[in-house]
Amino acid sequence: MQNKIYMLFVLLLLSFCHSQDNKIVDLAKISNDFDVSEFYSNKIKKTNEIISKDPKSMDKKEALNLLDNAFFVKDTLGYFKTDGRFPTELSLESTNDWMVRNKKPTEIFGYGYKTVAYDPEKDKIAVLNTVTFPKMDMVEDRKGKLMYLKVEKTSKTSADYSKIKDYISKKCKKIAVDDDDPNASYWKDESFYYYLFKDDHQEEEISFDSQGNKISKSVEVTEIRLMMFEMSYIKKMEELGIYSAGYKFWKKSF
């Protein structure tokens, strides 16, 4: 009997760990065969279910509980003629972008998945070297291969950026690109190009005491942005001359 209980506990634990793996992406282990559409499928479905509900049919508490969920959207990406807007003939853009909404793409490239609403304190969708991110966007090609991703967070401790920078500097080779932004750095490993950015600044933090009086203070924060581009994506965009995310890597000088 004890053995059965132990086995049941192990199975439940493994099931829990598996579900956690599906919820939080470890960027240190990701590859271009990551199933982007499967990862976002339930998230998109839940978002659509929430926004389809009639707010008049819910009480305030129920409505607030629904809004406590992160929201995600899926979009189609295509090649569009730039008409001189960019220094290339074609650009890769969302078909919902207001600049190209009434234009027909010359070709469909793939699909993009975006986090459009989230709780910066509670939500965790990706992790790298113990640093968690509440927001992650991904792009896949029509074959379902991961092309690039972007994670972002606002951190109240400089240690988070240091952990990310330490991981990348040990795993990757720093490369030079045509960018003089002192807050940005560029890297590569065997599979991806990396863009890492930080911005240190102050933000106003508001709280209330027990009497309801507003308390305001300035806090130091670090905006962290990390983008990972699959190498075949950069190569294809460079060969075709497409203006798109990651274009600075075209000017790399090793």
Side-chain angles (χ1 to χ4, degrees):
M1 182 65 178
Q2 287 182 335
N3 287 339
K4 289 182 178 179
I5 293 175
Y6 174 76
M7 288 300 296
L8 179 61
F9 173 76
V10 171
L11 288 172
L12 288 172
L13 181 60
L14 289 173
S15 175
F16 173 77
C17 291
H18 179 70
S19 67
Q20 289 300 300
D21 288 342
N22 288 336
K23 291 179 180 178
I24 302 178
V25 178
D26 187 346
L27 300 179
K29 299 177 181 178
I30 200 166
S31 61
N32 76 334
D33 62 356
F34 178 84
D35 197 328
V36 180
S37 59
E38 181 182 4
F39 177 74
Y40 283 97
S41 177
N42 287 334
K43 295 175 174 59
I44 300 290
K45 181 180 178 181
K46 188 172 184 179
T47 296
N48 291 336
E49 289 174 350
I50 292 174
I51 62 178
S52 67
K53 292 181 179 293
D54 181 4
K56 296 179 181 178
S57 66
M58 298 179 285
D59 59 31
K60 184 177 180 180
K61 183 177 180 181
E62 183 182 2
L64 289 174
N65 286 338
L66 288 176
L67 292 176
D68 197 37
N69 291 280
F71 282 34
F72 302 87
V73 296
K74 178 181 179 180
D75 192 17
T76 301
L77 304 181
Y79 299 129
F80 291 88
K81 292 185 177 180
T82 61
D83 299 325
R85 187 160 63 100
F86 295 122
T88 57
E89 182 181 349
L90 296 175
S91 62
L92 178 63
E93 300 186 57
S94 160
T95 54
N96 284 328
D97 186 274
W98 70 276
M99 289 293 292
V100 298
R101 196 170 298 166
N102 297 321
K103 295 183 178 181
K104 184 178 180 180
T106 60
E107 182 183 347
I108 297 300
F109 170 80
Y111 306 95
Y113 302 80
K114 287 188 175 182
T115 311
V116 294
Y118 59 96
D119 186 326
E121 302 294 336
K122 182 194 71 174
D123 291 331
K124 297 176 179 63
I125 193 171
V127 62
L128 182 62
N129 199 22
T130 74
V131 179
T132 58
F133 294 87
K135 170 182 171 63
M136 179 171 65
D137 303 336
M138 282 186 166
V139 166
E140 64 178 356
D141 65 12
R142 283 186 293 176
K143 295 180 180 180
K145 295 293 185 180
L146 171 65
M147 292 288 97
Y148 63 88
L149 65 86
K150 177 172 69 175
V151 290
E152 298 175 272
K153 79 172 301 177
T154 301
S155 177
K156 295 180 181 178
T157 169
S158 60
D160 282 344
Y161 177 79
S162 296
K163 289 178 181 178
I164 300 297
K165 181 73 175 290
D166 182 62
Y167 171 85
I168 291 179
S169 61
K170 289 179 179 178
K171 181 179 183 292
C172 307
K173 174 186 175 182
K174 192 171 186 180
I175 59 177
V177 302
D178 187 12
D179 185 7
D180 58 1
D181 186 346
N183 292 323
S185 58
Y186 297 82
W187 310 76
K188 63 170 287 190
D189 62 13
E190 295 180 354
S191 303
F192 291 94
Y193 288 109
Y194 297 76
Y195 161 77
L196 179 61
F197 172 86
K198 77 160 183 172
D199 176 34
D200 297 318
H201 61 274
Q202 290 188 339
E203 285 188 357
E204 185 181 22
E205 186 175 75
I206 298 175
S207 60
F208 297 88
D209 62 21
S210 57
Q211 283 74 43
N213 298 312
K214 178 180 175 181
I215 302 174
S216 177
K217 65 177 181 179
S218 293
V219 295
E220 298 287 341
V221 299
T222 299
E223 298 284 351
I224 303 172
R225 186 184 313 132
L226 172 67
M227 298 187 73
M228 296 171 58
F229 299 91
E230 210 276 334
M231 286 191 168
S232 66
Y233 167 81
I234 293 295
K235 183 178 180 180
K236 182 177 182 179
M237 295 298 104
E238 183 176 12
E239 289 176 348
L240 297 178
I242 307 296
Y243 188 93
S244 62
Y247 72 93
K248 286 186 180 294
F249 286 105
W250 300 4
K251 302 175 183 178
K252 57 187 179 297
S253 56
F254 300 99

